[in-house]
Amino acid sequence: MKQILLTYVHNISNAVTAFLLPERAYNEKAEPPLWVMVSKEITDIVHSWRFLILFALIIMTAVGSVIAFELQYSEITRDIKIDDKIFFLRIFTWKNSIFLMVMQYLCPVLGICLGFDAINSEQTKGTLSRVLSQPVYRDYILLSKFLAALLVVSLLFTVLMMIMFAWGLLSLGVGPTLDEFLRLLWYLFLTIVYVAFWLNIALFFSGIFRQSSASVLTCISAWLIFSVLAALPFEISSSFSLNPIFAYQQAIMILMTPELEGLLKVPIEYAGGVRPTLLPLNQNIIIAGGFITYLIAGSVALFAMSYYFFMRREIRSR
Amino acid sequence: MEPVITLTHLTKKYRDFTAVSDISLRVNKGEIFGVVGPNGAGKSTTILMMLGLTEPTSGEACVCGVNPVTEPVKVKQIVGYLPEDVGFYDDRTGLENIVYTARLNRVPEVEARQRAFKLLDRVGLADVANKKTGQYSKGMRQRLGLADVLIKNPSLIILDEPTTGIDPTGVHEFLELIACLREEQKLTVLLSSHNLHQIEQICDRVGIFRDGQMVAEGSPSDMSLKIFGDKTHSLDDIYNTFFTVKD
């Protein structure tokens, strides 16, 4: 166990040195090919313009919502009652906050941009047959693309959440309760799964279509259709519950704004004007369970599908 | 002589179309074997089957004592394959590209760099080692491809039309390099090409492919003896006897 941990630390430190000091990053021991491929993919992602642009957009969203919160701080805190049990979460969910909404639209774009040309660009460049004639398993190609993108996204979001968290602590002067902290962890987890879902859609189409333009258009149209369906009034959009955007929206709403969850199911007039009480996190998770399970299962199913098609394909040069 | 490649009744069908039908072949250690034939005669498909990149419909291939269908990764450890029109990561340098290949073959990075420098020097790319491959010419890419194939120290290299698109002097150097490597390292080479003259220059034995079958096989002089009764005819003449339009 310790050995495994040590090799991990060694690998990570090597990757960091390779990034910071490319000339000195010599490694004396042979690394497993999968790791070699994943680290190459990570370098490719980090150096690609489209990732950098989305990265900038996400940072801007976070900074924007922070500034907006600071500007309207007094107004927000006036509205919030002192016994508010989800006081800390307000930095993400106060009524004019753009963070959750923008993230909900940016995540699919991020997933698509990281995956839409993963397989077909290697094919058109002619590198696919070159890599496949090396002693690596064919699934490493798919796996390395997926793992690299997921690693970068997880790291990015974790750091982002940590910064927002730290800033929240400083700005509010109040720490989160354990319940709130766990809710934030769930938010982070679900958002990463959500990106993985779209990443898998993109990987799937990149394996199906020869042209990366065809796969990006298909991904974008899927995103557009799902977005429109999710934007419809609740009575209509809820009938398309296999819509990943809808599933993510609902799950996040249930977890992050638990007081709205009751309103969602029973309009307040029918509930006799009684505002539903706040449910504990585990109850919320049970309510959102269907959506959460769908996002994870859908993600896995899509990966399995791209795997199936890719493994059966004959790889010719170009 | 120990055989490096043994194909027995190898057949590949795509639905109704038979790309390769019933090919049996033996290539011995240290030999340079040439494969000629028109486009679509099944040369590339045969090569793909030797590497385990496609499964044969029936028959069996055995490369260096390994069955590529059951142990594709092991075959790829010992066989270097240069596909026609090889692709590189254009935003990486030539050196980075082949070091990557070496590391996929579990060569430690330090050693990979040493080998890469040596090979780049060998194929005459030492001065452009740190240039991005996007700026390489076609001939340079093919030579880099050869370095890429050799960096894993293979015992067999398979070159699929390696000389298409290179200028005549480039071709000459390329072929000379291959002949040299065979002498030095006892490499076995399987080479497919459309240029009969080149094949005749460099190959010990030649197989002629037509419509998925190998219609003739042997050294050029042996084939000439068999067909014309003397050894003086060129591979060109031999080839034409199989592909002339008959009235």
Side-chain angles (χ1 to χ4, degrees):
Chain A
M1 188 64 200
K2 196 187 163 200
Q3 196 58 43
I4 296 170
L5 268 174
L6 276 179
T7 25
Y8 253 98
V9 171
H10 181 70
N11 281 342
I12 291 168
S13 67
N14 268 325
V16 172
T17 25
F19 185 71
L20 298 174
L21 306 160
E23 293 307 312
R24 281 192 211 165
Y26 287 137
N27 201 340
E28 317 247 325
K29 266 200 312 200
E31 294 155 34
L34 182 62
W35 172 252
V36 174
M37 292 170 83
V38 170
S39 46
K40 179 199 160 281
E41 294 301 332
I42 291 177
T43 331
D44 279 354
I45 291 172
V46 174
H47 286 132
S48 72
W49 273 109
R50 49 185 137 124
F51 174 74
L52 291 179
I53 288 169
L54 276 172
F55 180 75
L57 272 176
I58 289 171
I59 296 291
M60 270 152 63
T61 310
V63 171
S65 50
V66 164
I67 292 173
F69 187 88
E70 290 287 349
L71 288 178
Q72 301 179 40
Y73 184 75
S74 56
E75 197 187 319
I76 297 160
T77 38
R78 197 180 55 224
D79 289 349
I80 296 170
K81 293 187 191 76
I82 200 73
D83 60 340
D84 193 341
K85 285 204 183 77
I86 47 167
F87 183 64
F88 191 79
L89 284 189
R90 299 287 175 205
I91 56 172
F92 295 96
T93 60
W94 61 281
K95 69 175 189 292
N96 290 330
S97 170
I98 51 160
F99 186 72
L100 291 190
M101 196 199 46
V102 175
M103 285 300 272
Q104 166 192 316
Y105 288 104
L106 276 184
C107 286
V109 180
L110 186 64
I112 291 170
C113 113
L114 289 177
F116 77 90
D117 66 347
I119 307 296
N120 46 20
S121 75
E122 294 257 349
Q123 174 102 50
T124 39
K125 273 188 286 184
T127 45
L128 190 58
S129 65
R130 195 166 67 90
V131 172
L132 279 180
S133 52
Q134 308 310 326
V136 295
Y137 295 100
R138 189 183 274 212
D139 31 336
Y140 280 10
I141 301 254
L142 216 54
L143 207 59
S144 63
K145 303 264 179 199
F146 177 75
L147 286 179
L150 201 67
L151 261 165
V152 170
V153 168
S154 309
L155 200 68
L156 168 66
F157 283 178
T158 311
V159 170
L160 196 69
M161 288 297 282
M162 276 159 80
I163 292 172
M164 297 272 291
F165 189 88
W167 161 77
L169 277 180
L170 289 176
S171 169
L172 293 176
V174 181
T177 60
L178 179 66
D179 182 80
E180 283 172 310
F181 183 70
L182 291 177
R183 278 176 202 275
L184 284 177
L185 278 187
W186 270 95
Y187 172 73
L188 179 63
F189 170 71
L190 271 182
T191 308
I192 292 169
V193 169
Y194 185 53
V195 176
F197 192 101
W198 285 96
L199 178 68
N200 277 318
I201 291 185
L203 275 178
F204 176 70
F205 285 124
S206 85
I208 297 267
F209 294 113
R210 285 264 162 144
Q211 309 284 333
S212 45
S213 52
S215 58
V216 74
L217 282 177
T218 319
C219 292
I220 294 283
S221 17
W223 174 62
L224 209 63
I225 291 168
F226 284 140
S227 297
V228 170
L229 285 180
L232 292 174
F234 183 77
E235 296 79 41
I236 308 168
S237 64
S238 61
S239 52
F240 303 100
S241 53
L242 282 188
N243 179 351
I245 298 182
F246 177 76
Y248 175 74
Q249 264 178 359
Q250 294 303 314
I252 292 305
M253 201 196 285
I254 292 168
L255 289 174
M256 294 291 277
T257 47
E259 82 275 20
L260 288 178
E261 185 273 321
L263 296 176
L264 207 131
K265 293 272 154 57
V266 189
I268 209 154
E269 353 11 318
Y270 298 115
V274 182
R275 209 179 163 78
T277 44
L278 220 71
L279 287 173
L281 176 63
N282 55 1
Q283 296 295 316
N284 280 142
I285 288 172
I286 291 169
I287 296 167
F291 298 122
I292 298 172
T293 322
Y294 167 63
L295 284 177
I296 298 173
S299 213
V300 173
L302 277 165
F303 189 75
M305 255 159 73
S306 21
Y307 193 88
Y308 176 77
F309 281 104
F310 186 62
M311 293 306 269
R312 286 163 45 106
R313 237 174 58 186
E314 181 183 285
I315 309 293
R316 297 225 169 214
S317 56
R318 306 220 181 185
Chain B
M1 284 276 229
E2 56 179 308
V4 172
I5 305 175
T6 320
L7 307 180
T8 35
H9 306 294
L10 206 62
T11 302
K12 175 74 186 180
K13 285 180 182 156
Y14 296 99
R15 294 194 186 152
D16 305 332
F17 173 69
T18 309
V20 173
S21 92
D22 198 23
I23 284 181
S24 298
L25 175 72
R26 252 177 81 127
V27 179
N28 294 320
K29 190 167 164 53
E31 249 189 324
I32 299 185
F33 190 87
V35 176
V36 294
N39 294 322
K43 295 174 302 204
S44 296
T45 312
T46 312
I47 290 172
L48 290 186
M49 284 190 283
M50 284 180 213
L51 286 160
L53 290 176
T54 309
E55 279 183 32
T57 316
S58 66
E60 202 176 81
C62 185
V63 179
C64 304
V66 181
N67 183 342
V69 177
T70 51
E71 291 175 287
V73 172
K74 208 170 168 193
V75 165
K76 290 168 193 167
Q77 267 165 11
I78 41 183
V79 182
Y81 168 53
L82 180 64
E84 65 173 302
D85 200 7
V86 60
F88 293 100
Y89 296 107
D90 286 344
D91 50 347
R92 302 292 176 96
T93 64
L95 180 72
E96 282 169 346
N97 264 290
I98 64 171
V99 166
Y100 181 57
T101 306
R103 293 179 67 202
L104 290 183
N105 284 284
R106 292 178 184 271
V107 180
E109 195 169 342
V110 179
E111 198 192 330
R113 278 174 169 267
Q114 287 164 354
R115 278 199 210 176
F117 275 121
K118 226 179 261 174
L119 278 169
L120 286 172
D121 192 38
R122 188 74 209 265
V123 297
L125 293 175
D127 46 338
V128 286
N130 289 317
K131 238 184 180 181
K132 297 207 164 139
T133 50
Q135 302 168 341
Y136 279 26
S137 70
K138 174 82 199 196
M140 285 154 90
R141 293 172 81 86
Q142 286 309 104
R143 277 185 284 159
L144 183 64
L146 190 61
D148 185 66
V149 161
L150 292 169
I151 200 160
K152 63 167 109 165
N153 286 339
S155 39
L156 163 69
I157 58 175
I158 297 178
L159 311 172
D160 197 352
E161 293 175 29
T163 51
T164 26
I166 317 182
D167 59 76
T169 29
V171 169
H172 184 73
E173 282 170 10
F174 194 87
L175 294 178
E176 211 143 72
L177 192 61
I178 293 170
C180 253
L181 287 166
R182 187 264 296 263
E183 289 304 316
E184 285 168 21
Q185 304 178 12
K186 286 277 159 273
L187 261 181
T188 313
V189 183
L190 189 114
L191 181 80
S192 100
S193 177
H194 287 302
N195 191 325
L196 299 171
H197 181 65
Q198 291 167 15
I199 290 276
E200 193 173 16
Q201 265 183 341
I202 186 178
C203 293
D204 306 314
R205 283 194 303 142
V206 180
I208 300 177
F209 278 58
R210 187 182 64 189
D211 300 329
Q213 285 171 315
M214 194 164 68
V215 287
E217 182 254 302
S219 70
S221 56
D222 283 353
M223 283 200 279
S224 166
L225 189 66
K226 212 185 275 175
I227 295 164
F228 301 103
D230 61 59
K231 287 189 177 183
T232 53
H233 288 268
S234 69
L235 187 60
D236 230 0
D237 296 335
I238 301 164
Y239 188 80
N240 284 333
T241 57
F242 293 103
F243 295 101
T244 38
V245 187
K246 285 169 191 126
D247 300 310

